[in-house]
Amino acid sequence: MKKVTVRVCSGTTCFVMGASNLQMLHEYVPEELRDWVDIQGAHCLELCRDRNYGAAPYITIDDEIVAEADLSLILERIEQRVRG
Amino acid sequence: MNYHNYATRLRIDLCIRMLHAYFDGKLIEKIDRIPLDMRPRGGEHARCCIYRDRAIIRQRCISVLGFGTGPEEDELTPLADYARRALERTLIEGPVLHVIEEGCSSCIRSRYEVTNACRGCLARPCMLNCPRRAIRIVQGHADIDPALCVNCGKCLGECPFHAIIRIPIPCEEACPVDAITKDEQGRAVIHFEKCIFCGKCMKACPFGAIMEKSQLFDVPQQIRRGCRVVAMVAPSIIGQFPGSLGQIAAGLEKLGFCAVVEVAHGADMTARHEAAEFTERMARGDACMTSSCCPAYTDLVKKHVAGLAPFVSSAATPMHAMGAWVKQQFDPQARTVFIGPCFAKRHEALFDSCVDYVMTFEELGALLVAREIDVAALDAVDVEPAGRREGRGFAVSGGVTRAVAGLLADGAGAPLVVPALVDGLSKKTIALLKTVARERQPGNFIEVMACEGGCVSGPGVVAPGAAAVRQLEKFLENSQAIRNGCADQHSHAQR
């Protein structure tokens, strides 16, 4: 098991494109993984620059960027990373 | 249906693309390419092929430009023509809602279907008990003939294997007043003489086939022409965008609005009026009074429950009160834009000279994304006059009652408020309202909200659900009340 840091972009673009749905992400993380995941809000990660809004919302898990992030995709990636 | 789905995403994406073209000064030149850009050759498609998808996106463009498709127009009318007309237009026309013909999947008429869980049993109770003899056995399975079936649902209850299912038609199911039905081709048709513009069908259609005629380009076009345009934001805006009210206001100023005001200030006026009117009505012996701030509800009374009309408060809606305030106190020449989660307000504003335009939070979101405005990074500006806790509370169900009861608490000789809440219009709650009209009141102050949970769950929100509501509640806690300690005085009254 490895500890990971998740940053959820709260720039306007990500928020409008679906990150508003990720505000309660911590409640969806399975209990056995909770101690291993640190979820942080983040200012605009500037991944939507140059009109690249289509793949928003973005989140990062450590140094990995996840585009078109939704709950199930994020949880899947978290689990992969934590369990290594 | 959850707000977060691909139909919503497509709608926002389309608005952003159109706005990018507009802000580049190339909407007319570029718009006919948008459906092709969104569904490129060899790419993915949601329907049968990219051509059908493009045809539907084309019709969506027409809605976003604020038009329906009239009988004189067909596929040969270029989108550029619509765009030109949209940019030249200064008047808005109704009806504000329409069905994207190509988009409607024409959900099947017969609502009952036999699934493959059917065992073709010996007893065959479905067949025997069908009053129309619509069920036959075909290759060992029961089969419903849609031409004979009258959707009575008897067979569903008879099958011991639960093999018969009922397939709802989402738009018809969602409409609380039976204003949407099928035509001969099976496509949805809205009957505007019955429609109360609640927007529930729009939210419910899984094909996103019901769209509003947007004013997305009218507003920036007014700004571009040099008009003074005032943004009137509904209290439910808190939690809809990252950042505080002051930061959202800063974002609106960056978009070119000359001033930002809170509709909550208008709601404060509505609450004061309702409190005074309630006192008067109780003194003269009225059985009850209902709220009047929800335009879908007042339209419902007009079209379906006329008996309730004498009980509806005469208070102006917060939107109207605020529009009138801007035109009288701020600048009579200013153009007013209501920005909120509400769809019925778009219809209401058509008949209100104080409110020129209506935009949803979703549309504001598209504007902010198109202009790359990061709300949370802006310095907050003051919003004057500030709304109070009473008016700001109108955004959640129960808020109107809390405001009126709070204003009346402790007043000498004030009548006791016995509240009743109709939280969301549905066939069931409308039946209840009809009994109120026949003088069977569940309380003496009846608050009616068309959307379950109140305006915070309106059809035009970007961020539905608990997180937004939590932020709004926190905002209310930190808001100043017209009457100090509004909540305390409420409990005081019960003592």
Side-chain angles (χ1 to χ4, degrees):
Chain A
M1 299 276 258
K2 188 181 131 235
K3 192 156 172 122
V4 297
T5 304
V6 179
R7 301 177 78 207
V8 180
C9 178
S10 69
T12 309
T13 303
C14 285
F15 197 85
V16 170
M17 296 298 284
S20 64
N21 204 30
L22 306 177
Q23 290 178 91
M24 322 264 271
L25 177 62
H26 56 279
E27 290 182 14
Y28 292 91
V29 176
E31 222 159 286
E32 69 271 22
L33 297 182
R34 272 188 199 165
D35 290 341
W36 300 91
V37 184
D38 179 22
I39 298 173
Q40 302 174 352
H43 285 301
C44 180
L45 299 171
E46 303 200 339
L47 295 164
C48 57
R49 265 194 290 193
D50 306 320
R51 297 192 169 177
N52 197 16
Y53 65 90
Y58 296 97
I59 64 136
T60 62
I61 303 177
D62 292 338
D63 52 359
E64 181 195 8
I65 296 166
V66 181
E68 289 189 56
D70 61 39
L71 275 177
S72 53
L73 178 65
I74 298 172
L75 293 176
E76 190 188 302
R77 291 292 166 83
I78 288 177
E79 181 139 15
Q80 279 170 7
R81 285 234 156 201
V82 170
R83 297 197 193 278
Chain B
M1 197 167 67
N2 194 303
Y3 173 82
H4 289 281
N5 60 61
Y6 291 107
T8 313
R9 213 181 147 84
L10 177 86
R11 205 165 57 223
I12 299 180
D13 186 10
L14 178 63
C15 289
I16 296 170
R17 282 171 193 264
M18 289 171 75
L19 286 166
H20 275 154
Y22 171 79
F23 287 119
D24 291 344
K26 290 181 179 154
L27 181 66
I28 294 169
E29 289 155 66
K30 282 188 173 172
I31 190 165
D32 278 288
R33 279 217 74 82
I34 289 179
L36 282 72
D37 289 343
M38 289 178 80
R39 289 291 181 266
R41 222 181 289 168
E44 281 177 28
H45 45 86
R47 312 282 178 123
C48 55
C49 60
I50 54 167
Y51 306 104
R52 177 93 191 267
D53 273 13
R54 287 178 184 175
I56 297 168
I57 293 172
R58 204 188 99 84
Q59 288 198 349
R60 291 189 195 285
C61 286
I62 295 171
S63 304
V64 175
L65 290 168
F67 299 101
T69 34
E72 74 286 358
E73 288 146 314
D74 55 26
E75 287 84 346
L76 287 183
T77 312
L79 286 174
D81 275 16
Y82 291 97
R84 196 171 295 119
R85 270 153 56 199
L87 298 186
E88 282 165 6
R89 160 183 68 201
T90 50
L91 281 175
I92 305 292
E93 278 172 30
V96 291
L97 193 66
H98 81 130
V99 179
I100 307 272
E101 271 178 47
E102 281 297 318
C104 177
S105 99
S106 310
C107 305
I108 42 152
R109 263 216 193 119
S110 171
R111 296 181 192 179
Y112 292 88
E113 213 170 277
V114 184
T115 66
N116 55 11
C118 170
R119 310 288 300 267
C121 64
L122 176 65
R124 294 180 184 173
C126 58
M127 207 172 137
L128 264 177
N129 289 287
C130 173
R132 294 292 167 125
R133 297 185 170 275
I135 300 182
R136 291 175 310 146
I137 302 294
V138 181
Q139 292 176 341
H141 273 79
D143 184 62
I144 301 175
D145 182 348
L148 295 174
C149 174
V150 290
N151 294 317
C152 71
K154 264 205 159 138
C155 52
L156 183 136
E158 291 294 342
C159 177
F161 297 109
H162 293 200
I164 298 174
I165 53 163
R166 175 174 175 275
I167 305 171
I169 299 174
C171 59
E172 287 186 15
E173 200 87 351
C175 179
V177 291
D178 294 325
I180 191 161
T181 56
K182 303 263 155 197
D183 67 5
E184 295 83 41
Q185 280 90 46
R187 287 187 177 149
V189 178
I190 303 164
H191 303 280
F192 289 109
E193 76 283 1
K194 285 187 182 171
C195 176
I196 57 171
F197 302 96
C198 61
K200 288 184 199 288
C201 56
M202 206 167 70
K203 225 169 129 177
C205 175
F207 285 91
I210 300 161
M211 280 185 77
E212 43 190 331
K213 290 190 204 161
S214 168
Q215 299 157 20
L216 188 61
F217 293 93
D218 299 79
V219 174
Q221 193 65 0
Q222 289 289 353
I223 293 172
R224 195 176 264 182
R225 286 194 191 110
C227 293
R228 302 190 76 200
V229 184
V230 178
M232 310 194 294
V233 297
S236 47
I237 201 164
I238 302 301
Q240 290 297 312
F241 298 98
S244 64
L245 178 65
Q247 286 176 307
I248 295 169
L252 285 161
E253 287 182 2
K254 274 197 113 172
L255 285 172
F257 288 93
C258 73
V260 182
V261 295
E262 275 188 75
V263 174
H265 182 63
D268 286 332
M269 297 185 228
T270 305
R272 283 199 195 91
H273 181 113
E274 285 189 356
E277 185 184 355
F278 180 73
T279 310
E280 234 169 74
R281 279 175 179 262
M282 290 303 113
R284 76 170 187 231
D286 276 16
C288 72
M289 182 176 103
T290 84
S291 59
S292 64
C293 49
C294 172
Y297 163 60
T298 48
D299 221 25
L300 172 84
V301 173
K302 248 181 259 161
K303 290 173 176 163
H304 302 279
V305 201
L308 256 183
F311 300 107
V312 179
S313 163
S314 64
T317 64
M319 176 178 86
H320 173 80
M322 212 48 218
W325 184 91
V326 171
K327 302 261 180 183
Q328 283 157 18
Q329 316 270 325
F330 182 74
D331 179 358
Q333 299 302 318
R335 311 245 103 207
T336 49
V337 185
F338 173 85
I339 300 175
C342 185
F343 180 66
K345 292 261 192 272
R346 220 192 264 287
H347 180 66
E348 183 196 348
L350 280 181
F351 308 97
D352 188 337
S353 60
C354 293
V355 184
D356 299 302
Y357 300 104
V358 172
M359 246 168 54
T360 60
F361 291 145
E362 193 178 292
E363 290 169 334
L364 173 60
L367 267 170
L368 291 167
V369 174
R371 308 261 31 205
E372 293 179 22
I373 296 172
D374 187 17
V375 176
L378 300 175
D379 290 328
V381 295
D382 284 336
V383 180
E384 292 283 340
R388 302 298 187 89
R389 190 190 297 161
E390 284 86 346
R392 287 173 173 175
F394 271 49
V396 268
S397 284
V400 182
T401 310
R402 241 186 336 269
V404 171
L407 287 172
L408 289 173
D410 264 10
L416 183 74
V417 178
V418 186
L421 173 67
V422 175
D423 188 18
L425 288 178
S426 62
K427 289 191 175 108
K428 207 169 145 193
T429 54
I430 290 172
L432 177 101
L433 283 167
K434 284 183 176 160
T435 67
V436 173
R438 292 195 299 268
E439 297 191 6
R440 287 174 55 193
Q441 286 81 25
N444 62 9
F445 184 85
I446 304 169
E447 174 181 335
V448 187
M449 291 282 177
C451 298
E452 207 176 313
C455 310
V456 284
S457 28
V461 295
V462 181
V469 174
R470 224 174 275 171
Q471 278 183 56
L472 183 71
E473 275 165 2
K474 212 166 150 202
F475 178 68
L476 292 178
E477 270 169 39
N478 297 325
S479 299
Q480 213 189 351
I482 299 172
R483 294 198 54 155
N484 258 338
C486 176
D488 302 344
Q489 294 199 357
H490 190 60
S491 53
H492 202 192
Q494 287 168 345
R495 210 163 34 195

